[in-house]
Amino acid sequence: MKREKSNQEFERAKRVIPGGVNSPVRAFKSVQSTPAFISHGKGARIFDIDGNEYIDFVGSWGPLILGHAFPAVIDAIEEAVRKGTSFGAPTVKETDVAELICNMVPSVEKVRMVNSGTEATMSALRLARGFTGREKVIKFAGCYHGHVDSFLIQAGSGALTHSVPDSMGVTRGTASDTLLAEYNNPESVERLFSGNQNKIAAVILEPVAGNMGVVPPAPGFLDRLRKLTQENGALLIFDEVITGFRLSGGGAQEYYDVTPDITTLGKIIGGGLPVGAFGGKKEIMDYLAPEGGVYQAGTLAGNPVSMAAGYAMLKFLNDHPEIYKELEDKGATLEEGIRENLGKTGIPGVVNRVGSMMTLFFSNAGQIYSYKYALTANTAMYAGYFKLAVENGIYIAPSQFESMFVSYAHTREDIEETVAKNLEALRILKNP
Ligand SMILES: *Cc1c(COP(=O)(O)O)cnc(C)c1O
């Protein structure tokens, strides 16, 4: 596979952009590789500037559930952009989008638009603190909620209760207000509640974790968190930036039938443009300025081009609920194919999947329930697998701890080709 042009462009980019990329994972560092520069996408496929073609399972990291350049979305963007890109004044489409979201996600009675998932979780946290008058927040190791200081936190050595910054530039003061629990371990949450009575504003989590690789909630886990937060006067925040509109029209909360107090959204909601949102019960949302005392704002929030893209995307999903059944079927076919391939080659692996989100962990742990299990994965093996996949035209995430996303645009043939190439790659990994 030719990579000359991409390699040249990467060198050029590195001179003027830190690491050559505008988001670190794009540099392919964790798989000791360098990125292809993409020229365009169509349906399930992307094309790079050297003329290589790939079946894409990254889907811009989640937003492109209908595939690249989906006609209804592109038409809506074209129509909107001709009328002007931003006014900083109300437009009707903002209400259309808000109504649609409130209809699709019933726990969301009011919703505020922002520009990214990070902004959504940052604002949701401030809102939860303002509403409860409490300062601490519980998050789960391995869950990602954007690059908000309060969420760039890891467990310190020793007790889980001592949190430390997970990035330079995050203060220890901030870290001390974020408490870390273990995913799928409700007792770890109970312990934090009993050790911090009347101090915890919220529990935030990905209802299906997608950022430590895919880790589904164990049966009863989400219900248990719902109960624990209620009993302790804390809010339950579902970060549905990935799962919103992906697992079903109503997201993971509909899929698992658990109702959070606040929901954060992003990715799919923007149809591929930069959008995020957070919403919830009226009495909570009314704490936001200008009604209430929790300040939150955005110059470009709800801008007409993003709203047009998001509306077209959500409307299509809302009008075609059968898409979710189709995504489930394609996901299941991919999962079964990869499982069989693991069996045929004898390579140890765990395949976790919920609907159209899936991760193949190169781990012999048998099951991956939480971050500490995810960390058993052999990342060197993943790096080898990644290179073989990309070389064969299958574009997957350049990290073991991410999800593969199946889209409406993937055909049965795309899935079959992917399973066949997965087998080839696993055979080479087994006998290099
Ligand atoms: C991607 C992601 C975010 C951050 O969204 P950005 O738009 O990248 O800021 C937050 N939460 C989850 C679960 C995500 O996957």
Side-chain angles (χ1 to χ4, degrees):
M1 178 172 283
K2 278 193 312 180
R3 269 294 178 81
E4 284 92 64
K5 287 186 182 164
S6 279
N7 290 342
Q8 270 170 18
E9 285 297 333
F10 193 42
E11 291 308 313
R12 185 176 148 229
K14 280 195 283 192
R15 275 178 236 128
V16 286
I17 302 173
V21 290
N22 283 310
S23 197
V25 73
R26 296 180 201 167
F28 287 22
K29 237 181 155 169
S30 79
V31 287
Q32 299 90 49
S33 189
T34 57
F37 278 59
I38 306 304
S39 76
H40 63 287
K42 182 88 200 119
R45 307 214 168 215
I46 52 172
F47 303 82
D48 71 19
I49 59 174
D50 285 289
N52 301 305
E53 178 177 341
Y54 310 87
I55 302 177
D56 179 23
F57 288 96
V58 175
S60 187
W61 301 93
L64 301 181
I65 192 168
L66 300 176
H68 293 271
F70 189 72
V73 174
I74 300 301
D75 291 349
I77 292 172
E78 264 178 14
E79 192 190 324
V81 80
R82 284 179 202 289
K83 296 180 186 163
T85 48
S86 182
F87 308 109
T91 53
V92 173
K93 213 44 151 206
E94 293 165 71
T95 316
D96 292 342
V97 172
E99 280 179 353
L100 191 52
I101 293 169
C102 294
N103 281 330
M104 292 175 82
V105 189
S107 79
V108 175
E109 296 171 356
K110 287 191 179 183
V111 60
R112 174 70 54 89
M113 305 304 303
V114 292
N115 301 298
S116 69
T118 295
E119 256 187 84
T121 61
M122 177 186 80
S123 306
L125 177 59
R126 185 178 307 137
L127 176 60
R129 285 172 166 161
F131 181 77
T132 59
R134 298 171 174 188
E135 298 194 350
K136 292 193 186 290
V137 61
I138 296 178
K139 87 173 276 283
F140 293 87
C143 279
Y144 178 69
H145 305 294
H147 61 99
V148 181
D149 281 15
S150 298
F151 299 136
L152 288 180
I153 303 297
Q154 60 174 325
S157 55
L160 262 180
T161 42
H162 289 282
S163 312
V164 296
D166 198 19
S167 162
M168 292 167 74
V170 173
T171 65
R172 271 168 299 167
T174 297
S176 70
D177 280 332
T178 301
L179 309 173
L180 278 163
E182 189 192 8
Y183 203 80
N184 280 330
N185 180 347
E187 288 74 32
S188 71
V189 179
E190 257 168 35
R191 276 198 296 277
L192 291 174
F193 270 119
S194 53
N196 296 273
Q197 282 182 14
N198 303 317
K199 289 186 183 152
I200 294 169
V203 173
I204 186 170
L205 82 161
E206 297 175 74
V208 175
N211 287 289
M212 49 176 135
V214 172
V215 177
F221 177 59
L222 298 176
D223 286 304
R224 191 81 181 274
L225 294 179
R226 179 61 286 182
K227 261 198 138 147
L228 278 172
T229 44
Q230 251 153 7
E231 286 165 4
N232 289 280
L235 300 183
L236 180 62
I237 305 174
F238 274 7
D239 181 355
E240 297 228 40
V241 169
I242 289 180
T243 53
F245 315 106
R246 175 163 289 279
L247 296 187
S248 75
Q253 52 196 272
E254 178 180 66
Y255 195 91
Y256 292 104
D257 192 22
V258 178
T259 306
D261 299 299
I262 300 178
T263 300
T264 56
L265 297 163
K267 299 199 168 115
I268 289 176
I269 209 177
L273 292 187
V275 183
F278 63 107
K281 293 197 178 89
K282 273 194 197 89
E283 67 261 33
I284 300 174
M285 294 305 287
D286 285 342
Y287 268 67
L288 282 178
E291 297 280 299
V294 176
Y295 191 70
Q296 189 280 329
T299 302
L300 294 176
N303 97 81
V305 185
S306 305
M307 291 302 96
Y311 186 78
M313 184 84 136
L314 297 188
K315 185 85 174 53
F316 193 89
L317 292 170
N318 193 43
D319 292 347
H320 299 85
E322 69 281 3
I323 284 177
Y324 294 103
K325 170 81 177 76
E326 204 181 309
L327 287 172
E328 166 63 29
D329 290 346
K330 288 181 203 166
T333 307
L334 187 60
E335 177 189 356
E336 281 156 28
I338 290 178
R339 268 184 211 284
E340 271 174 34
N341 294 346
L342 289 170
K344 281 180 197 163
T345 53
I347 288 188
V350 175
V351 184
N352 276 355
R353 180 184 69 87
V354 180
S356 55
M357 309 168 56
M358 194 182 93
T359 299
L360 160 57
F361 292 94
F362 288 99
S363 163
N364 51 19
Q367 294 280 347
I368 309 283
Y369 299 110
S370 69
Y371 192 48
K372 76 177 182 215
Y373 290 90
L375 290 178
T376 62
N378 180 339
T379 53
M381 191 166 224
Y382 185 87
Y385 173 68
F386 167 84
K387 282 175 204 159
L388 291 164
V390 169
E391 194 66 27
N392 281 304
I394 308 295
Y395 192 85
I396 54 173
S399 160
Q400 168 71 88
F401 306 108
E402 300 285 354
S403 173
M404 265 178 111
F405 292 112
V406 177
S407 80
Y408 181 56
H410 287 104
T411 61
R412 292 254 141 221
E413 292 71 37
D414 290 334
I415 302 291
E416 279 162 24
E417 185 178 337
T418 304
V419 170
K421 287 184 170 164
N422 167 267
L423 181 59
E424 265 176 59
L426 295 183
R427 285 203 165 120
I428 294 172
L429 285 178
K430 185 76 183 178
N431 296 302

